[in-house]
Amino acid sequence: MSGKPELTDEQRERIRKSRERAMELRRKRLEQQKVEQERQAVQQRNEMKMRNSVSVAKSNVKKNNYEEEDENVELEDFEIGASQYVTKQDAKGKYCLPDGTLEVCEYTEKDNPRQSKWNKMKLYNRSEIRRRARDRWGGLEGLQEERRRRENKRSEKDMAEGYRLFKKQK
């Protein structure tokens, strides 16, 4: 004998049955978890399909409204032949819209073509951006004037920086 008490046949049988019962319970629990995960995955896919179909329906309605508006709007030179979408950068630069206004605009996200690991691009409907910009700046003339004002401000800042750099060299 090695110092450990030996188990009786009855104890060994009880241990074997307990182990089998535990293994059966574990197998059932894992099976239930798998079924629940599959059910959730199916539910998520269905929700995504519903969101996409509702989103497509809404965008089709809005697209039709924007197309009707586009027929009556005077386009600028850079807008002729342009895509119906505009990037966030262009919306801020060409249409002089702040981030706050862009946050309330609808957009679609698309993988960034430059690098797929980067954040997705936000593409705004050009008609909506054009309408909001013209409302904000008081029409086409106001928007163009704001663009000129920003360009002049940028030029003055660049000139001041150039003077500062050349002044230090003397």
Side-chain angles (χ1 to χ4, degrees):
M1 289 193 128
S2 65
K4 288 185 180 179
E6 298 238 353
L7 297 175
T8 65
D9 289 341
E10 191 177 289
Q11 291 171 325
R12 286 187 185 124
E13 182 64 22
R14 199 167 95 220
I15 290 171
R16 185 187 64 77
K17 285 182 180 179
S18 294
R19 183 178 295 135
E20 285 177 0
R21 199 174 17 208
M23 294 297 284
E24 181 65 23
L25 288 172
R26 182 171 188 257
R27 186 187 61 74
K28 285 181 180 179
R29 189 180 71 239
L30 290 174
E31 193 175 294
Q32 285 175 344
Q33 287 175 349
K34 186 177 178 182
V35 167
E36 180 63 22
Q37 287 173 348
E38 288 175 2
R39 187 188 65 73
Q40 287 177 351
V42 167
Q43 184 179 1
Q44 286 175 347
R45 281 194 298 266
N46 289 341
E47 287 174 2
M48 288 298 289
K49 286 179 184 177
M50 285 294 288
R51 272 191 236 133
N52 288 342
S53 65
V54 167
S55 171
V56 167
K58 284 182 180 177
S59 69
N60 285 341
V61 168
K62 286 186 178 188
K63 198 180 293 181
N64 290 338
N65 290 342
Y66 291 138
E67 287 170 0
E68 290 172 7
E69 289 176 10
D70 283 347
E71 294 172 2
N72 302 328
V73 173
E74 180 183 351
L75 298 179
E76 295 186 67
D77 292 338
F78 68 88
E79 293 179 310
I80 297 172
S83 166
Q84 73 177 21
Y85 296 109
V86 62
T87 63
K88 183 175 184 177
Q89 181 178 356
D90 284 344
K92 289 174 73 172
K94 292 180 180 176
Y95 293 98
C96 304
L97 290 175
D99 286 328
T101 302
L102 294 177
E103 287 177 10
V104 298
C105 295
E106 290 201 18
Y107 61 88
T108 52
E109 287 187 338
K110 183 180 175 188
D111 287 335
N112 197 312
R114 294 185 183 203
Q115 180 73 331
S116 61
K117 293 180 182 176
W118 290 353
N119 287 339
K120 293 181 180 278
M121 289 189 328
K122 289 183 177 180
L123 298 174
Y124 299 90
N125 190 304
R126 187 177 299 273
S127 299
E128 180 181 8
I129 296 298
R130 180 187 311 117
R131 180 181 50 79
R132 287 184 184 270
R134 291 183 182 182
D135 287 348
R136 180 180 183 88
W137 301 111
L140 178 59
E141 293 78 21
L143 176 58
Q144 291 171 339
E145 182 58 36
E146 177 63 18
R147 240 187 254 127
R148 278 191 294 278
R149 187 188 68 75
R150 290 183 182 197
E151 180 60 35
N152 289 340
K153 186 177 177 182
R154 230 183 339 266
S155 296
E156 289 173 7
K157 183 180 173 186
D158 290 346
M159 291 294 285
E161 180 67 16
Y163 287 134
R164 189 185 63 77
L165 289 174
F166 284 113
K167 194 174 189 179
K168 284 185 178 181
Q169 290 180 354
K170 290 183 179 181

